[in-house]
Structures are given as C-alpha cells and as structure tokens.
Amino acid sequence: MESFLETWGYLAVFVLSFISAMGLPVGAEVAIIFGGVLASGDVDHGHHHLNLALVIVVAILAEVIGSLAGYLIGYFGGRALVDRAGRYVLLTHHDLDRAEAWFARRGEPVVLFGRFIPLLRSFVSFAAGLGEMAFAKFLLYTVIGCAVWCVALTSLGYSLGGTYHHVLKAFSDAGYVAAALFVLAVVALFLHRFRVLRAERRTSGDA
C-alpha cells in the first residue's frame, strides 16, 4: 500500500478511500494517514511530498462519493439481493422492513458515528441504503462524518511524520485483535439470527 501511495499519490488516496467507503474494507484509514505522512515531507520516498489540504479534499471527496455508491447499491439492489441470497446470510424481507423503520428513527447517529469505527464504517452506507434511509439525511451526516474522519486521520499522519512506522506497528497489532473480535461478533450474530429465523418459521407454521 505504501508503494502504491508513493507512486500514485492523490489518485491512490482517492481509489482506496472510495473502495473502502463503498463497502470493501481495504485499509483506507492507513492510506489517509500515510497521505498525511507524505504531506509532512519527513519521509524520503523519492517524489515531491503531497499537499496537506489537497490530501484532505481528495480523501473527503472519495469517502463521500464511495459512500453514495454504497448507499445506492443497498437502496436499489438490497431487496433483490435478499431475494437471491438472503437465505445464505439469514435475512428476510421482514428484516428489511424492520431495518427501514429503525433507520428512519435512529439512522443519523449510525451514519455519523459509524464513520469512526474501522471495519464497520465500510458497511454503514450499504446498510443505510438497504434500510432506505432518507437520502437528504444520509448525505448530510455522511459529509459531516467523512469530513471529520479525513481531517483527523490526515492531520494525525502529518503530525507523525517520520515516526509513522513505529505507530503503524502498534496500530497493526491492535488491528489483529479488532479483527478477531469482529469475527467472533459475526459468528455470534449468525447464531442469533439462525435461532430467530427458526422461531419465526415455527410460529408461521403453527399459524
């Protein structure tokens, strides 16, 4: 990733941020931080260093555009996707109806603060689209969340400068722990969903 960023600069920041915001967690957090590192000029990478303001603008644009793409995929393709593959991930249209009602009531905090949680942040936009959250609300809180996130990460990288690699190692170690907890949470969620769906089918059969 560092080689990609060093070679392509702003384009690399945009591509990685866009893909991550759209729904594929590819480590955009590290990319944005490293963009700030390159902007500091404290890392000798054989090219002219990036401009801090431009890194922030590019990252925000990529995050917002990628989030919109994820939202539209969930909004227009979510129910069709559940029809084709819902049984494999234990989802039903009843779940989508509940998600839509839930996002209508409490979607704003999820879209706003979900941007600050690694891994989870990649799925926020798709979930909001799947839950058919109002587009105006989604766009407003997405822009705010993405702007705060990108400014914070880029500024962090800029302040770290040459000490970036020492911090990255600690960040990576913590990432392994977070990934393990994420996997355990997914397993627990699937087990819970399996029990809920089995109970719902039993109730429907009795009716």
Side-chain angles (χ1 to χ4, degrees), residues 119-130:
L119 293 179
L120 174 63
R121 65 184 311 277
S122 293
F123 306 105
V124 166
S125 299
F126 181 80
L130 197 64

Side-chain angles (χ1 to χ4, degrees), residues 78-90:
R79 291 184 180 269
L81 184 63
V82 170
D83 284 337
R84 291 195 301 269
R87 65 180 181 275
Y88 300 116
V89 293
L90 306 180

Side-chain angles (χ1 to χ4, degrees), residues 18 27-28 30 36 45 83 99-100 109 114 151 161 163 167-168 185:
F18 173 86
V30 178
H45 55 92
D83 284 337
E100 181 179 352
V151 169
T163 64
V167 178
L168 178 61

Side-chain angles (χ1 to χ4, degrees), residues 128-178:
L130 197 64
E132 298 185 1
M133 181 180 180
F135 180 76
K137 285 184 179 180
F138 171 80
L139 181 60
L140 174 63
Y141 289 100
T142 292
V143 170
I144 295 173
C146 289
V148 172
W149 177 251
C150 293
V151 169
L153 290 186
T154 310
S155 300
L156 174 62
Y158 187 85
S159 64
L160 289 175
T163 64
Y164 162 77
H165 285 97
H166 298 292
V167 178
L168 178 61
K169 185 181 183 305
F171 184 82
S172 298
D173 292 341
Y176 292 131
V177 176

Side-chain angles (χ1 to χ4, degrees), residues 20-42:
S20 182
M22 186 178 66
L24 298 175
V26 294
E29 299 88 354
V30 178
I32 297 173
I33 292 174
F34 193 63
V37 172
L38 295 180
S40 72
D42 292 336

Side-chain angles (χ1 to χ4, degrees), residues 41-157:
D42 292 336
V43 177
D44 182 14
H45 55 92
H47 302 279
H48 61 279
H49 69 268
L50 305 180
N51 179 276
L52 179 63
L54 281 179
V55 172
I56 292 174
V57 170
V58 168
I60 293 174
L61 285 176
E63 288 279 331
V64 171
I65 296 173
S67 297
L68 291 177
Y71 173 88
L72 293 175
I73 291 172
Y75 189 91
F76 291 106
R79 291 184 180 269
L81 184 63
V82 170
D83 284 337
R84 291 195 301 269
R87 65 180 181 275
Y88 300 116
V89 293
L90 306 180
L91 285 176
T92 67
H93 277 282
H94 184 53
D95 295 320
L96 298 187
D97 293 337
R98 285 185 293 198
E100 181 179 352
W102 191 87
F103 264 96
R105 297 192 306 270
R106 304 184 181 88
E108 296 91 339
V110 175
V111 173
L112 178 61
F113 297 109
R115 303 290 174 191
F116 311 141
I117 305 175
L119 293 179
L120 174 63
R121 65 184 311 277
S122 293
F123 306 105
V124 166
S125 299
F126 181 80
L130 197 64
E132 298 185 1
M133 181 180 180
F135 180 76
K137 285 184 179 180
F138 171 80
L139 181 60
L140 174 63
Y141 289 100
T142 292
V143 170
I144 295 173
C146 289
V148 172
W149 177 251
C150 293
V151 169
L153 290 186
T154 310
S155 300
L156 174 62

